[in-house]
Amino acid sequence: MIITDPETISSIVKVFILGGVSFIFAFFFTPALTGFLYKNKLWKKEVKEKAIDGSELTFFKKFHSTGETKVPRMGGLLIWGTVVLLAFLFLIASNIFDTPFLNRLNFLSREQTWLPLFTLVAASIVGLIDDVLQTVRPKKKLLSKIWLRMERYVGGGLSLKFRIILVTIIGSIGAWWFYFKLGQDMIHIPGIGEVFIGLFYVPLFIIFMLAIYSGGVIDGLDGLSGGVFASIFGSYAVIALYQGQINIAAFCFVILGSLLAFLWFNIPPARFYMGETGILGLTTTVTVIAFLTNAVIVLPIIAILLVIETASVILQLLSKKFRGKKLFLAAPIHHHFEALGWPHYKITMRFWVIGIVSGIIGVIIHLLS
């Protein structure tokens, strides 16, 4: 079947143009960003020595040398910085020049993209604070004294408990907005249809946001996080495009374009790591997009790697606590495969394949329903 509808063609062209522009901008901006990160030595000051439960990281230290501390974090700045800049660039350009082409490329709309953009920026800033606390050490004496006093509270970044609390707060705000402002009280279940859940919509929203948040565990191998998130946002771009939510599809493609640029420079050996400023922003944003497209039930399928990675850490902790022994050789699970002897590039590429296949399955399930 050949698509001949001008509006449909125009929408598809818009989405692909914005994705291409995003990739080009992020690609040429990356050298400046990495130059800044390396110049200021914005990497972790030490290799992780202990697991969450305080046990020794035997396999992690075996496969991850101290040289990794010389690779800067905060690569997520490239992703959300590109999205924010292009969003307001096209918004301003469309208002100044008021041409059909620029008006079409403006993908900011109150109904579709203001909420995910706000979520992306707010969560990414929180993640950026965590990255800064892990990498920056003040040189001036006065600031150093203040820092030493704060070290016991923020040394090594925000604690996992505190980050989970922040994600819960972000999720609560999003849930409140969806339920009370947008009047959302139903979800779409494939094979059944729209199901009324009423006030349960609020805790469901928060639960999904916490489940998808991976706490940086997906950022453990060169190129792993970029490929995983690329398949997730690509999947939701297809769903949004099918539903006619063109601005959400464009928003996803702008993120996808910046992720592909990130991947270009993060193919082993990594030029920089995504950091919490990327992970926290992307995981919370994809949850919001899943609810906006009413495709939240397939989110655990499309983002199955995030779920598996987080679940492997939880299961490992529970196993050590109640069984007195490990369930995996190392957690999160990609380190388990490292411990089995898999090369890191093989793990990364196989995870990419799983991410793409699970994304396709999730999209098919949603579209067929």
Side-chain angles (χ1 to χ4, degrees):
M1 181 180 69
I2 300 175
I3 299 174
T4 57
D5 177 48
E7 183 64 24
T8 302
I9 294 173
S10 177
S11 297
I12 295 173
V13 169
K14 168 184 177 173
V15 169
F16 278 94
I17 286 178
L18 287 169
V21 171
S22 174
F23 172 80
I24 293 170
F25 175 84
F27 181 85
F28 286 104
F29 177 68
T30 299
L33 175 61
T34 54
F36 171 81
L37 296 177
Y38 275 95
K39 180 180 179 180
N40 292 277
K41 301 179 180 179
L42 295 177
W43 47 67
K44 281 187 176 182
K45 303 309 177 186
E46 64 279 326
V47 175
K48 188 165 55 171
E49 296 287 340
K50 300 285 185 180
I52 297 174
D53 61 352
S55 61
E56 290 292 327
L57 293 170
T58 308
F59 287 102
F60 181 86
K61 288 191 288 187
K62 179 180 178 181
F63 294 103
H64 296 262
S65 65
T66 55
E68 289 186 0
T69 61
K70 302 301 181 181
V71 179
R73 296 170 64 84
M74 305 189 197
L77 278 168
L78 176 71
I79 299 161
W80 64 273
T82 298
V83 175
V84 171
L85 189 105
L86 291 184
F88 287 100
L89 179 66
F90 284 115
L91 175 65
I92 294 170
S94 64
N95 286 326
I96 292 176
F97 299 104
D98 194 25
T99 64
F101 179 72
L102 287 176
N103 288 338
R104 189 68 181 174
L105 290 181
N106 175 26
F107 60 94
L108 277 182
S109 65
R110 184 174 181 180
E111 298 81 8
Q112 296 183 31
T113 49
W114 275 111
L115 188 57
L117 180 64
F118 171 79
T119 304
L120 178 66
V121 174
S124 295
I125 289 175
V126 172
L128 180 61
I129 293 172
D130 181 57
D131 286 334
V132 169
L133 292 174
Q134 294 188 55
T135 58
V136 174
R137 294 293 182 272
K139 295 180 180 179
K140 294 184 179 180
K141 290 185 177 180
L142 177 61
L143 291 177
S144 295
K145 290 180 179 179
I146 296 173
W147 182 268
L148 287 173
R149 290 180 179 274
M150 295 173 60
E151 190 80 33
R152 58 180 294 189
Y153 302 106
V154 298
L158 303 174
S159 67
L160 178 60
K161 180 180 178 181
F162 189 64
R163 278 179 283 157
I164 289 175
I165 292 173
L166 289 174
V167 173
T168 303
I169 293 172
I170 294 171
S172 300
I173 295 172
W176 174 84
W177 188 270
F178 269 85
Y179 185 75
F180 291 101
K181 287 291 186 179
L182 301 182
Q184 297 291 331
D185 54 14
M186 302 179 74
I187 61 169
H188 179 81
I189 299 179
I192 297 177
E194 301 297 317
V195 177
F196 174 79
I197 58 173
L199 190 59
F200 187 67
Y201 194 96
V202 174
L204 184 70
F205 189 101
I206 298 170
I207 289 169
F208 266 92
M209 186 163 284
L210 285 170
I212 295 301
Y213 172 61
S214 67
V217 296
I218 198 69
D219 200 25
L221 294 177
D222 298 356
L224 179 59
S225 59
V228 170
F229 281 112
S231 64
I232 292 171
F233 280 95
S235 298
Y236 274 102
V238 173
I239 291 173
L241 192 61
Y242 176 81
Q243 294 177 348
Q245 299 196 72
I246 308 305
N247 286 327
I248 292 181
F251 181 84
C252 289
F253 251 68
V254 171
I255 292 178
L256 177 59
S258 63
L259 281 167
L260 293 177
F262 173 82
L263 265 179
W264 179 277
F265 293 94
N266 211 43
I267 297 296
R271 181 71 175 156
F272 53 178
Y273 295 136
M274 188 175 288
E276 201 67 17
T277 190
I279 298 293
L280 186 55
L282 292 175
T283 53
T284 52
T285 300
V286 76
T287 305
V288 171
I289 290 173
F291 276 91
L292 281 173
T293 55
N294 207 6
V296 68
I297 297 301
V298 295
L299 178 57
I301 299 174
I302 292 174
I304 193 169
L305 286 171
L306 298 183
V307 177
I308 290 174
E309 289 278 280
T310 303
S312 67
V313 175
I314 295 172
L315 291 173
Q316 183 85 317
L317 291 172
L318 291 175
S319 179
K320 286 195 285 186
K321 182 176 178 63
F322 296 107
R323 298 171 65 237
K325 58 182 180 180
K326 294 180 178 181
L327 183 62
F328 306 104
L329 293 176
I333 200 166
H334 58 261
H335 291 317
H336 171 77
F337 292 116
E338 272 190 302
L340 289 175
W342 289 24
H344 61 87
Y345 57 83
K346 181 179 288 187
I347 299 169
T348 298
M349 297 191 73
R350 283 181 173 172
F351 272 47
W352 286 356
V353 172
I354 293 171
I356 293 170
V357 172
S358 63
I360 293 172
I361 293 172
V363 170
I364 291 172
I365 291 174
H366 183 76
L367 297 189
L368 287 178
S369 67

